[in-house]
Amino acid sequence: LDYQHVQVPFEITLWIMLASLAKIGFHLYNKLPSVVPESCLLIFVGLIMGGIIYGLNDKSPPVMDSDIFFLYLLPPIVLDAGYFMPSRPFFENIGTILLYAVVGTIWNVFGIGFSLYGICQVKAFRLQDVSLLHNLLFGSLIAAVDPVAVLAVFEEIHVNEKLHILVFGESLLNDAVTVVLYKLFRSFCEMPAIKSVDVFVGVGKFFVVGLGGVLVGLTFGLTAAFTTRFTKDIRVIEPLFVFLYSYLSYLTAEMFHLSGIVAIIACAMGMKRYVEANISLKSHTTVKYFMKMWSSVSDTLIFIFLGVSTIGENHEWNWPYICFTVIFCLVWRALGVLVLTFFVNRFHVNTITSKDQFIIAYGGLRGAICFSLVFLLPDFHRKKLFIAATTVVILFTVFIQGMTIRPLVDLLAVKRERESAPTVGEQIHIRFLDHLLAGIEDISGHWGQYYWKDKLEYFNSKYLQKILLREYDQPKSSIVLLYEKLERKHAIELAEAGQLGHAPSHPSLLNNNRTAITDKKLEDTLNPDVLENIQEILARNLYRIRRTGPAYNRHTLPGEAEPVEHAKEILILRHKSL
Amino acid sequence: LDYQHVQVPFEITLWIMLASLAKIGFHLYNKLPSVVPESCLLIFVGLIMGGIIYGLNDKSPPVMDSDIFFLYLLPPIVLDAGYFMPSRPFFENIGTILLYAVVGTIWNVFGIGFSLYGICQVKAFRLQDVSLLHNLLFGSLIAAVDPVAVLAVFEEIHVNEKLHILVFGESLLNDAVTVVLYKLFRSFCEMPAIKSVDVFVGVGKFFVVGLGGVLVGLTFGLTAAFTTRFTKDIRVIEPLFVFLYSYLSYLTAEMFHLSGIVAIIACAMGMKRYVEANISLKSHTTVKYFMKMWSSVSDTLIFIFLGVSTIGENHEWNWPYICFTVIFCLVWRALGVLVLTFFVNRFHVNTITSKDQFIIAYGGLRGAICFSLVFLLPDFHRKKLFIAATTVVILFTVFIQGMTIRPLVDLLAVKRERESAPTVGEQIHIRFLDHLLAGIEDISGHWGQYYWKDKLEYFNSKYLQKILLREYDQPKSSIVLLYEKLERKHAIELAEAGQLGHAPSHPSLLNNNRTAITDKKLEDTLNPDVLENIQEILARNLYRIRRTGPAYNRHTLPGEAEPVEHAKEILILRHKSL
């Protein structure tokens, strides 16, 4: 027997196997996952495993290594989140998300930090030796909402899309703030004296860390898209590039102390549409499947490790400090959401209801990121107290909040996610409205989101697509792609039912067309000629509203206006409106 | 900049990226891969990389770590080979393959070892200090044909299926022999005196190592199949089990000093048909794609590392020894193939032609396995000589033989692989003949391969399928599965061409049916009713020939014979024929 030789891969494989089998086990009994979130069950499995290891060895089980967490377990989850991020609601609410992620997190960090410092002044608690800086450092790691925990719970309760993207987007983007504040306070703790210059440098860092992450991510994302232009003869390694470039973007960002999470999200969102157009259908299935599989396993491992690491003797149970931490986390988050939403609602027509606000505040779950950060703290005499407080906060939010949020959503009758995907008709309407709004913004000289979206679309089709896509002369609109997907799915269904021969033939279709076309049956009843018409209308006309925009303008005849003149006109219009 | 922190994953990712980009680069120019095999190009890239590293650092570049090779790079390639192994030709030629792999390898080891010892006795070469045992040890590592190198070259030249499976099967199965001989001679080298008992123990080990590997592999394979019974609700982690269980089988076998390669092949071949039936179509696409991708990357990395490791100062250039090693490798292999094939041809109707024999002998490429084994040798004063000889043999076989084998195959007009897959009609014929032969063997009391195949099929459908398959009551024959696959492919093609509405409808089909059905167009013109008939004939009747076998028997009426009596009868018949 030569166990030493194969130990490392053998144990890794066994852990992954345990995680996968645990997942199968939960799903065998359908009742359990509908009451208790999977994350709770996994932590529970981890607690039992930890207890067994502790009982057998009589020493603390190994804690989750922060390096393993940040380098190997976190990236797949974030990549999956970024790749499948619904970009429309994300960009529609980007302002609100950034407000929550940046201002909200800073608010929480300082709120929790200062209040805990206040608690430390109470002599009865024997906590006077915990300095303000240490409390702020602790606040910076405990304030951040965790994307892994949020995703695990919110994927199961199916709230409406806007609410979901607000909580989830915040949990992803607050990484930049957390990284900066955590590193800032940690370096302050080690400095003899703090100059006011350092504080200003710290504030400047927010932008560097966040925007730097976006830049690194986009660079790698576009390089990935460019690379997949040349994989036509060697389809089998196509999926690899998606993973390699995203991972490189994460590692590069971490290397330069930028936000890796922001980088990998920017990379995934940047490359997605080009990569999808370049790679084959099977490669794309593999990419999607493997991403889901990988993130699902990482997620499972993280929660099991969280459970395992909880057992042991790493904790200092000063209950007043721990209880007040939990209370302050809840209170400051609730206050923050209330105040920020008040401002958000003043500037938006589509306001955030008070029910939604409650769910946003209540959905602020903490998870493995806090846990890893607290173990990364430099050694000082109260580290074990911070570890204990972090553990309790995580268990409290995941177990109590995670288990009660579903009944609360039912009780409050929070608007749920719509059951079905939007129909083709709806998609055409949405697209049409976008272009209409872009036209309106253009005429009125208002530089709103539709204006910028339109500009970006123009830049994309004029330059980016030509560089990044293999067959750039035939850009297919998403509706045509959707139609093709439906058509393919339908064909497979027909083939599997053995009814390919029975498929409605050409003449019978035309008769049906005259009577009634319901949106849902569009793919069944649309004949290719009609389809081609729609395709042409969509691809040729709808897409170029902005480019043929001057037709809507009061001052020019169609085709006269040059882009420069056009910009001038907008300036003049804008000037007039002011 | 914090490079230390991300170094390990960053460098691994960069190496994989380099490998993938090199692969893309070669395929951009279509002419190059058609002349030079990819493996040569990759070694060349490695040599350049090694040269650059050597030039910059002024010290030998890092050699390929044997642990990394055996634990991480080799398993994906072998898994891929085992999973996609064409089982029919493999089992039809299993006897010949085993003869080549076991007897042939032993022949080569001792032939090369003893002849090199003879060379060492020539005083002019100054090699008298290399003992017989060391020469045999060297022979045991240099004799083994390498699956990675063989696959890389033979995949490109497309010789006929039988020839391919003979060379490739040998290269896979000789692992058991190589492992045993290598470890035996290495332990002999360290022993003060060798007893005759040790030699007998060594011979016994062949069976333990080989059969133990098969046992470990099958155990994990069937467990994997059993596990996928329960993944219906959680499709996304299905592909994981295929990889996890195969890898565990490899590691477990290595842990017990059994043959990991044999184990992973047995695991892959054992689980394949059950796993395919249990998991979803998309999961299966992911499994296939990822396996190909992974093995392709591993393969690329191995050849690049081979090139990199060649550069440096690890070599002792004693040219007589090196040249004679190359010559003996060629001569003993050629002799071995001639002698063994002579015996094989005496017992087979379908003989191996002399052209095929030449290609078998010439296709005995050496590769990364020898290279890793030579670095694993215990330190002794002539290790660098062995490294140099191994390097030259690998480069000679991969470059000279690898590049000339394609022109030679053309020149000799070796029978090539058939261009198209067998048609449905041919498959029905083959299946029918199998059952016919099983019946003939049964009646004549001959226990041949068809008899055993039939027994195994019976055991499979009676017991294994019930345990391992989720829906065991509907076993689909492979022809029905093939039909479904063709049907699905056809439907997708129709959908993509936008002609779903134009698909021939029911009545027109029936007319076509009367005139002429060509095999190739079977999937186009067969209507569902006719298909159902064929399905029923195949699934109900053809499959049970053996079970309703007594109907063909001279001594019983249909349905009378019990399995026990049946076995008795065969014994009686067999006795008579003797």
Side-chain angles (χ1 to χ4, degrees):
Chain A
L1 192 78
D2 183 10
Y3 184 60
Q4 208 66 32
H5 179 55
V6 297
Q7 189 179 11
V8 177
F10 197 74
E11 287 182 0
I12 293 173
T13 317
L14 278 188
W15 274 110
I16 299 177
M17 184 72 98
L18 172 77
S20 316
L21 290 178
K23 256 188 137 67
I24 288 188
F26 298 151
H27 282 266
L28 277 186
Y29 299 97
N30 280 322
K31 275 192 180 170
L32 206 58
S34 66
V35 180
V36 188
E38 211 182 88
S39 43
C40 299
L41 289 172
L42 291 169
I43 291 185
F44 198 71
V45 168
L47 286 172
I48 293 172
M49 293 273 309
I52 292 171
I53 297 174
Y54 190 44
L56 289 178
N57 292 357
D58 213 20
K59 62 176 182 182
S60 302
V63 294
M64 176 158 59
D65 189 316
S66 299
D67 263 3
I68 290 179
F69 173 74
F70 281 112
L71 290 182
Y72 304 109
L73 294 176
L74 189 57
I77 299 176
V78 182
L79 173 62
D80 178 62
Y83 198 82
F84 293 100
M85 175 90 80
S87 58
R88 198 186 161 82
F90 180 75
F91 284 113
E92 269 175 5
N93 297 297
I94 184 80
T96 316
I97 292 171
L98 279 177
L99 196 71
Y100 284 142
V102 179
V103 183
T105 307
I106 295 175
W107 164 287
N108 277 317
V109 170
F110 285 96
I112 295 170
F114 280 110
S115 348
L116 280 177
Y117 183 62
I119 294 300
C120 291
Q121 303 317 309
V122 180
K123 280 190 179 167
F125 298 156
R126 273 180 271 160
L127 286 161
Q128 281 104 322
D129 55 331
V130 185
S131 70
L132 177 62
L133 258 181
H134 276 119
N135 272 316
L136 284 172
L137 179 57
F138 179 63
S140 77
L141 67 88
I142 204 75
V145 175
D146 187 83
V148 183
V150 165
L151 206 61
V153 167
F154 272 71
E155 265 191 348
E156 292 181 11
I157 58 174
H158 302 293
V159 292
N160 65 73
E161 205 173 32
K162 186 178 175 187
L163 188 51
H164 183 254
I165 203 74
L166 284 181
V167 181
F168 182 51
E170 179 205 339
S171 71
L172 284 173
L173 297 189
N174 66 19
D175 179 59
V177 180
T178 312
V179 167
V180 171
L181 285 181
Y182 179 77
K183 287 190 177 155
L184 198 70
F185 289 131
R186 213 174 65 173
S187 58
F188 283 176
C189 281
E190 283 156 5
M191 268 184 221
I194 302 157
K195 290 174 199 156
S196 57
V197 182
D198 296 324
V199 178
F200 284 109
V201 170
V203 174
K205 269 191 180 171
F206 280 127
F207 298 97
V208 175
V209 168
L211 294 179
V214 171
L215 201 72
V216 168
L218 281 183
T219 311
F220 278 98
L222 297 182
T223 317
F226 185 70
T227 310
T228 51
R229 262 191 79 163
F230 305 101
T231 52
K232 202 182 171 189
D233 295 322
I234 185 153
R235 291 282 189 202
V236 91
I237 57 168
E238 278 177 349
L240 202 62
F241 288 106
V242 174
F243 300 110
L244 286 181
Y245 279 108
S246 336
Y247 193 42
L248 274 185
S249 77
Y250 181 84
L251 292 177
T252 311
E254 288 285 309
M255 196 158 71
F256 291 106
H257 297 288
L258 306 173
S259 165
I261 292 184
V262 170
I264 205 167
I265 287 173
C267 178
M269 292 180 85
M271 77 168 124
K272 190 184 181 190
R273 78 189 274 181
Y274 306 108
V275 167
E276 271 183 17
N278 279 336
I279 69 179
S280 78
L281 193 71
K282 281 193 178 174
S283 297
H284 194 224
T285 304
T286 307
V287 167
K288 284 194 293 186
Y289 233 71
F290 220 78
M291 228 173 240
K292 284 273 169 229
M293 190 176 95
W294 219 327
S295 75
S296 158
V297 168
S298 279
D299 176 276
T300 312
L301 281 176
I302 287 173
F303 284 114
I304 290 182
F305 282 154
L306 258 186
V308 172
S309 311
T310 305
I311 304 287
E313 287 150 0
N314 293 316
H315 309 282
E316 183 195 333
W317 299 109
N318 183 314
W319 284 107
Y321 192 84
I322 292 171
C323 292
F324 275 107
T325 308
V326 174
I327 293 167
F328 288 140
C329 280
L330 289 172
V331 169
W332 283 103
R333 181 161 176 87
L335 281 177
V337 170
L338 279 178
V339 172
L340 290 175
T341 315
F342 174 75
F343 286 106
V344 169
N345 279 348
R346 285 193 61 176
F347 294 102
H348 280 78
V349 186
N350 193 357
T351 57
I352 300 166
T353 65
S354 51
K355 282 176 192 171
D356 286 357
Q357 288 176 42
F358 177 77
I359 296 298
I360 293 173
Y362 201 73
L365 306 183
R366 269 67 163 186
I369 290 186
C370 313
F371 198 77
S372 300
L373 287 178
V374 82
F375 274 99
L376 277 180
L377 283 181
D379 273 324
F380 81 112
H381 66 289
R382 285 298 182 123
K383 189 176 168 181
K384 285 191 174 180
L385 172 64
F386 285 177
I387 293 177
T390 310
T391 308
V392 171
V393 169
I394 293 171
L395 292 184
F396 179 85
T397 55
V398 172
F399 273 87
I400 310 289
Q401 291 179 220
M403 282 167 72
T404 51
I405 198 165
R406 192 200 298 258
L408 278 173
V409 166
D410 290 339
L411 198 75
L412 292 172
V414 173
K415 215 176 138 201
R416 291 299 187 97
E417 191 186 28
R418 50 185 300 168
E419 294 280 307
S420 57
T423 61
V424 177
E426 279 175 325
Q427 291 206 9
I428 294 176
H429 272 74
I430 291 170
R431 179 77 56 91
F432 183 72
L433 274 175
D434 281 2
H435 288 283
L436 194 69
L437 280 164
I440 291 171
E441 283 188 353
D442 199 359
I443 294 167
S444 64
H446 171 68
W447 291 350
Q449 63 168 323
Y450 294 99
Y451 174 83
W452 286 113
K453 198 178 162 188
D454 206 59
K455 275 278 180 219
L456 206 66
E457 196 59 61
Y458 178 70
F459 176 72
N460 171 47
S461 65
K462 182 105 184 187
Y463 305 104
L464 280 181
Q465 288 196 338
K466 289 190 188 171
I467 302 168
L468 301 178
L469 293 190
R470 195 182 298 136
E471 292 149 349
Y472 68 91
D473 45 359
Q474 298 165 331
K476 285 178 177 169
S477 89
S478 63
I479 291 175
V480 176
L481 287 176
L482 175 79
Y483 177 83
E484 282 179 6
K485 196 176 147 194
L486 289 170
E487 187 77 323
R488 210 179 292 121
K489 200 177 144 197
H490 176 60
I492 291 174
E493 276 168 9
L494 274 185
E496 278 175 354
Q499 290 177 324
L500 199 56
H502 297 294
S505 63
H506 202 60
S508 64
L509 248 175
L510 279 175
N511 294 337
N512 284 342
N513 260 352
R514 301 270 176 270
T515 54
I517 300 177
T518 61
D519 281 334
K520 285 213 172 183
K521 294 258 172 175
L522 201 63
E523 70 274 23
D524 283 346
T525 51
L526 214 58
N527 86 31
D529 300 352
V530 175
L531 169 75
E532 220 152 18
N533 267 344
I534 292 185
Q535 279 184 13
E536 227 172 281
I537 293 166
L538 291 174
R540 297 280 152 74
N541 305 325
L542 217 51
Y543 242 29
R544 293 192 188 153
I545 280 183
R546 178 60 190 82
R547 269 164 279 164
T548 59
Y552 295 95
N553 199 298
R554 275 172 295 170
H555 306 289
T556 53
L557 288 169
E560 264 192 8
E562 290 300 311
V564 182
E565 289 181 36
H566 191 73
K568 268 187 202 163
E569 271 176 21
I570 294 172
L571 279 175
I572 293 165
L573 279 170
R574 172 156 273 255
H575 190 74
K576 275 184 192 164
S577 71
L578 292 172
Chain B
L1 191 79
D2 183 9
Y3 184 59
Q4 209 65 33
H5 178 56
V6 298
Q7 189 179 10
V8 177
F10 197 73
E11 287 183 359
I12 293 173
T13 316
L14 278 188
W15 273 111
I16 299 177
M17 184 73 98
L18 172 78
S20 316
L21 290 178
K23 256 190 137 68
I24 288 187
F26 298 151
H27 282 267
L28 276 186
Y29 299 97
N30 280 322
K31 276 191 180 170
L32 206 58
S34 67
V35 180
V36 188
E38 211 182 90
S39 43
C40 299
L41 290 173
L42 291 169
I43 291 185
F44 197 71
V45 169
L47 287 173
I48 294 172
M49 292 275 310
I52 293 171
I53 297 174
Y54 191 44
L56 289 178
N57 292 358
D58 212 21
K59 62 175 184 183
S60 301
V63 295
M64 176 158 59
D65 189 317
S66 298
D67 263 2
I68 290 178
F69 174 75
F70 281 113
L71 291 181
Y72 305 108
L73 294 177
L74 189 58
I77 299 176
V78 183
L79 173 62
D80 178 62
Y83 198 81
F84 293 100
M85 175 90 80
S87 59
R88 199 187 160 82
F90 180 75
F91 284 112
E92 268 174 6
N93 297 297
I94 184 81
T96 317
I97 292 172
L98 279 177
L99 196 70
Y100 284 142
V102 179
V103 183
T105 306
I106 295 174
W107 164 286
N108 278 317
V109 169
F110 285 96
I112 295 171
F114 280 110
S115 351
L116 281 178
Y117 183 62
I119 295 300
C120 291
Q121 302 316 309
V122 180
K123 280 189 179 166
F125 297 157
R126 271 179 273 161
L127 286 162
Q128 283 103 322
D129 54 330
V130 185
S131 70
L132 175 63
L133 257 182
H134 276 119
N135 271 318
L136 284 172
L137 179 57
F138 179 63
S140 76
L141 68 88
I142 204 75
V145 174
D146 186 84
V148 182
V150 166
L151 206 61
V153 167
F154 273 69
E155 265 190 349
E156 291 181 12
I157 58 174
H158 302 292
V159 293
N160 64 73
E161 204 173 31
K162 187 180 175 186
L163 188 51
H164 183 253
I165 203 77
L166 284 181
V167 182
F168 182 51
E170 178 206 339
S171 71
L172 283 174
L173 297 189
N174 66 20
D175 179 59
V177 181
T178 313
V179 167
V180 171
L181 285 181
Y182 178 78
K183 287 190 177 155
L184 198 70
F185 290 130
R186 212 174 66 173
S187 58
F188 283 175
C189 282
E190 283 155 6
M191 268 186 223
I194 301 159
K195 292 174 198 158
S196 56
V197 182
D198 296 324
V199 178
F200 284 109
V201 170
V203 174
K205 268 191 182 170
F206 280 127
F207 298 98
V208 176
V209 168
L211 294 179
V214 172
L215 200 73
V216 168
L218 281 183
T219 311
F220 277 98
L222 297 182
T223 317
F226 185 69
T227 310
T228 51
R229 262 190 81 162
F230 304 102
T231 51
K232 202 181 170 189
D233 295 322
I234 185 154
R235 292 283 190 201
V236 92
I237 57 168
E238 278 177 348
L240 202 62
F241 288 107
V242 175
F243 300 109
L244 286 181
Y245 279 108
S246 338
Y247 194 42
L248 274 185
S249 77
Y250 182 84
L251 293 177
T252 310
E254 288 285 309
M255 196 158 72
F256 291 107
H257 296 288
L258 306 172
S259 164
I261 292 184
V262 171
I264 206 168
I265 286 173
C267 177
M269 291 181 85
M271 78 169 121
K272 191 183 181 193
R273 77 189 274 181
Y274 306 109
V275 166
E276 272 183 17
N278 279 336
I279 68 180
S280 78
L281 193 72
K282 282 194 178 173
S283 298
H284 194 225
T285 305
T286 307
V287 167
K288 285 194 291 186
Y289 233 71
F290 220 79
M291 229 173 238
K292 283 274 168 229
M293 189 176 96
W294 219 326
S295 74
S296 158
V297 168
S298 280
D299 178 274
T300 313
L301 281 176
I302 286 173
F303 285 113
I304 290 182
F305 281 154
L306 257 185
V308 171
S309 311
T310 306
I311 304 286
E313 287 150 0
N314 294 315
H315 309 283
E316 183 195 332
W317 300 108
N318 183 315
W319 283 108
Y321 193 83
I322 292 170
C323 291
F324 276 107
T325 307
V326 174
I327 293 167
F328 288 141
C329 280
L330 289 173
V331 170
W332 283 103
R333 180 160 179 88
L335 281 178
V337 170
L338 280 178
V339 172
L340 290 176
T341 315
F342 174 74
F343 286 107
V344 169
N345 278 348
R346 286 194 60 176
F347 294 102
H348 281 79
V349 186
N350 195 357
T351 56
I352 301 166
T353 65
S354 51
K355 282 177 191 170
D356 284 358
Q357 289 176 41
F358 177 77
I359 296 297
I360 292 174
Y362 202 74
L365 306 182
R366 268 66 163 187
I369 290 186
C370 314
F371 197 78
S372 300
L373 286 178
V374 81
F375 274 99
L376 277 181
L377 283 181
D379 274 323
F380 81 112
H381 65 291
R382 287 295 183 127
K383 188 176 170 182
K384 284 189 174 182
L385 172 64
F386 286 177
I387 293 176
T390 310
T391 308
V392 171
V393 169
I394 294 171
L395 293 184
F396 180 84
T397 55
V398 172
F399 272 86
I400 310 289
Q401 292 180 220
M403 280 166 73
T404 52
I405 198 164
R406 192 202 298 258
L408 278 172
V409 165
D410 289 338
L411 198 74
L412 292 173
V414 173
K415 214 176 138 205
R416 293 299 187 97
E417 192 185 30
R418 50 186 300 168
E419 294 280 306
S420 56
T423 61
V424 177
E426 280 175 324
Q427 291 209 7
I428 292 176
H429 273 74
I430 292 170
R431 178 75 57 90
F432 183 72
L433 275 175
D434 280 3
H435 287 285
L436 195 68
L437 280 164
I440 291 171
E441 283 187 352
D442 199 359
I443 293 166
S444 64
H446 172 68
W447 290 350
Q449 63 168 322
Y450 294 100
Y451 174 82
W452 287 113
K453 197 177 162 188
D454 206 59
K455 276 277 181 220
L456 205 67
E457 197 59 61
Y458 178 70
F459 177 70
N460 171 47
S461 64
K462 181 106 183 184
Y463 304 106
L464 280 181
Q465 288 197 337
K466 289 191 188 171
I467 301 168
L468 300 178
L469 292 191
R470 195 181 299 135
E471 292 149 350
Y472 68 89
D473 44 0
Q474 300 166 329
K476 286 179 177 170
S477 90
S478 62
I479 291 176
V480 176
L481 286 176
L482 175 79
Y483 178 82
E484 281 179 6
K485 196 178 148 193
L486 289 171
E487 188 77 324
R488 209 180 294 120
K489 200 177 145 196
H490 176 60
I492 291 173
E493 276 167 10
L494 274 186
E496 278 174 356
Q499 288 177 326
L500 200 56
H502 296 294
S505 63
H506 201 60
S508 64
L509 247 174
L510 279 175
N511 294 338
N512 284 342
N513 261 352
R514 301 270 176 270
T515 55
I517 299 177
T518 60
D519 280 334
K520 286 213 173 185
K521 294 258 174 177
L522 200 64
E523 70 274 23
D524 282 345
T525 51
L526 213 62
N527 85 31
D529 299 351
V530 176
L531 169 75
E532 220 152 20
N533 268 344
I534 293 184
Q535 279 185 12
E536 227 172 280
I537 293 165
L538 291 174
R540 297 279 153 75
N541 305 326
L542 218 51
Y543 242 28
R544 294 194 187 150
I545 280 183
R546 178 63 191 82
R547 269 164 279 163
T548 60
Y552 296 95
N553 200 297
R554 275 172 295 168
H555 305 291
T556 53
L557 288 169
E560 263 192 11
E562 290 299 311
V564 182
E565 289 181 36
H566 191 72
K568 268 187 202 162
E569 271 175 22
I570 294 172
L571 278 174
I572 292 165
L573 279 171
R574 171 154 272 253
H575 191 72
K576 274 183 193 164
S577 71
L578 292 174

